[in-house]
Amino acid sequence: MEKKTVLSCIQPTGHMHFGNYFGAVKNWVDLQEKYDCFYGVVNYHAMTMPYKPDKLRQNTWDLIFNLLATGIQPENLFIQSLVPEHSELSWIFNCFTPYGRLNQMTQFKDKSSKSTDDGFISAGLLNYPVLQAADILIYRADFVPVGKDQDQHLELTRTIASRFNNQVGKEYFVMPKGLHTETPKIASTADPTRKMSKSAGEKHYINVFDDEARIRKQIRSAVTDTGEPSGEMSAGVENLFLLIKAGGNEQAHVSLMEDYNADNLKYVDLKEAAAETLVALSQKFREKRAELLANKKEVKGQIKASSAEIRKRAQQTLKDVKDLSGLMNVRF
Ligand code: AMP
Ligand code: TRP
């Protein structure tokens, strides 16, 4: 049986913390075994908020190296701007998008209320979900592994796909589905009532590529008791257990859980095990990244080549779409 297609994308922001890794990237890595996977670093999307060109370029390559180091296969990885068909399809889709839906999007409302550039809000930010629909439909993805926060964008993607199908009189696009696998929500170790995130500030995230000293320090200062009634596991303790388990340290998890159940758990042991787990993972990834960076030119060349290969599939879809829409096609 032919493999189903999976697509997901991530914006190039300079960091990859353990929340991103356990919540999204690890899942992408695992899906590669069973599906035909396309993973994009979406630099066109990153232009929708005020940004600096040099930083965008740097962040895009940084993220590529980080994704490769954590186990994404190069042939599955592309840079969005190296497949310019995304933006052309996005224009076509704009004409199949009910515009009133765009300013109802939660992400648009959130981001536009946080404009850091003197109230400037780009039309690109409003049209962001249309470009996202193009990312997904251009590969005719069956499944899109994303967090629940992206459900609204997926729903809009299906609206666009079915309006297109109706208008051209052909069931051309299949309706993509979200893939909500068991993605653990990692909390901030400094404040376990909120999620680990970069925007909350220095204390609230641990990067996958941080050096050992910083990882240990962040875990050492993790909040454990947050005033829960006795007999209930505190959010901080639960989060440390989760990090140990998600990091694959099953043995430590079992034995510390026994201590916990016997009312005998020492927080210093729990923290030590959490730190060990993250340090070991991080070490593996840092070594892999150093190897890749030692061959920077080749690796970049490889990603350009994989983007070109992936582009062929996008070109085929765009050609069909233009034919179906009554647009002339460039011969290629
Ligand atoms: P962001 O950088 O917030 O856009 O997130 C990129 C991806 O990482 C998304 O799929 C999020 O759902 C996931 N993610 C971000 N923070 C966390 C977290 N603290 N726990 C679990 N998943 C997260
Ligand atoms: N909007 C997604 C996010 O904020 C990123 C994204 C862009 C995406 N295009 C996509 C996710 C296509 C899945 C599929 O995380």
Side-chain angles (χ1 to χ4, degrees):
M1 210 173 72
E2 211 180 302
K3 282 187 183 170
K4 296 271 189 195
T5 300
V6 159
L7 168 125
S8 198
C9 299
I10 188 163
Q11 288 202 55
T13 56
H15 294 251
M16 186 193 286
H17 56 64
F18 278 103
N20 300 136
Y21 175 69
F22 290 128
V25 177
K26 183 170 187 296
N27 191 19
W28 289 14
V29 172
D30 297 342
L31 288 167
Q32 296 179 123
E33 280 182 27
K34 275 199 6 218
Y35 298 98
D36 197 10
C37 293
F38 296 87
Y39 296 127
V41 171
V42 286
N43 47 355
Y44 285 141
H45 278 104
M47 304 170 70
T48 57
M49 293 291 272
Y51 78 100
K52 296 208 167 50
D54 283 342
K55 190 116 183 98
L56 176 59
R57 198 175 293 116
Q58 181 67 41
N59 286 347
T60 302
W61 283 118
D62 278 353
L63 181 56
I64 289 284
F65 280 87
N66 291 351
L67 288 169
L68 291 171
T70 48
I72 301 292
Q73 290 159 19
E75 61 274 20
N76 296 340
L77 199 53
F78 68 94
I79 296 177
Q80 191 186 31
S81 67
L82 295 180
V83 190
E85 285 72 16
H86 286 232
S87 71
E88 189 174 347
L89 184 60
S90 165
W91 171 257
I92 296 174
F93 281 170
N94 266 308
C95 304
F96 293 86
T97 304
Y99 89 91
R101 287 275 289 280
L102 294 175
N103 59 13
Q104 289 166 7
M105 294 284 135
T106 312
Q107 189 170 302
F108 174 70
K109 288 197 233 168
D110 260 13
K111 290 193 175 175
S112 56
S113 69
K114 286 187 202 135
S115 167
T116 51
D117 189 9
D118 218 7
F120 174 82
I121 297 159
S122 73
L125 186 64
L126 182 70
N127 289 313
Y128 177 116
V130 185
L131 180 57
Q132 182 163 348
D135 298 336
I136 298 168
L137 295 172
I138 209 160
Y139 303 106
R140 310 222 239 144
D142 299 291
F143 299 114
V144 186
V146 278
K148 285 229 177 301
D149 61 322
Q150 295 297 316
D151 280 354
Q152 219 184 9
H153 288 165
L154 270 176
E155 193 53 52
L156 184 69
T157 301
R158 287 188 289 266
T159 301
I160 295 172
S162 43
R163 186 162 178 92
F164 179 87
N165 288 350
N166 281 337
Q167 287 229 356
V168 306
K170 186 174 176 188
E171 289 299 301
Y172 181 71
F173 287 116
V174 290
M175 297 300 133
K177 292 191 192 68
L179 196 64
H180 301 309
T181 42
E182 250 186 87
T183 50
K185 278 270 161 269
I186 307 295
S188 151
T189 47
D191 177 0
T193 60
R194 63 201 292 176
K195 68 174 196 169
M196 180 176 284
S197 108
K198 192 195 145 203
S199 52
E202 272 294 306
K203 288 189 307 194
H204 297 285
Y205 64 94
I206 307 173
N207 276 338
V208 172
F209 298 93
D210 272 340
D211 58 44
E212 178 169 349
R214 185 174 186 272
I215 298 180
R216 290 197 185 276
K217 180 164 167 272
Q218 296 283 74
I219 296 289
R220 212 178 308 121
S221 51
V223 170
T224 41
D225 273 324
T226 33
E228 283 70 18
S230 67
E232 257 176 50
M233 189 184 275
S234 75
V237 170
E238 197 177 328
N239 193 45
L240 291 169
F241 269 115
L242 181 59
L243 288 171
I244 295 169
K245 187 164 189 160
N249 197 347
E250 199 60 46
Q251 218 178 352
H253 190 267
V254 169
S255 110
L256 290 160
M257 203 46 105
E258 277 169 15
D259 291 348
Y260 175 82
N261 288 331
D263 222 357
N264 207 7
L265 175 70
K266 294 195 189 65
Y267 291 152
V268 15
D269 295 341
L270 180 66
K271 287 182 176 181
E272 178 60 21
E276 281 304 318
T277 308
L278 299 189
V279 164
L281 258 184
S282 168
Q283 179 125 13
K284 191 174 87 180
F285 295 153
R286 266 181 294 137
E287 276 166 20
K288 179 78 189 152
R289 192 171 67 157
E291 248 174 61
L292 292 161
L293 285 171
N295 299 303
K296 208 175 197 168
K297 247 181 119 167
E298 282 136 65
V299 175
K300 285 187 174 183
Q302 203 175 11
I303 294 304
K304 287 179 186 162
S306 68
S307 300
E309 199 50 44
I310 286 172
R311 185 178 180 197
K312 291 181 189 159
R313 172 126 162 199
Q315 281 175 322
Q316 187 55 52
T317 302
L318 186 65
K319 180 183 178 300
D320 294 347
V321 166
K322 287 173 82 168
D323 282 342
L324 288 165
S325 316
L327 295 163
M328 287 77 209
N329 255 301
V330 183
R331 277 188 187 278
F332 60 85

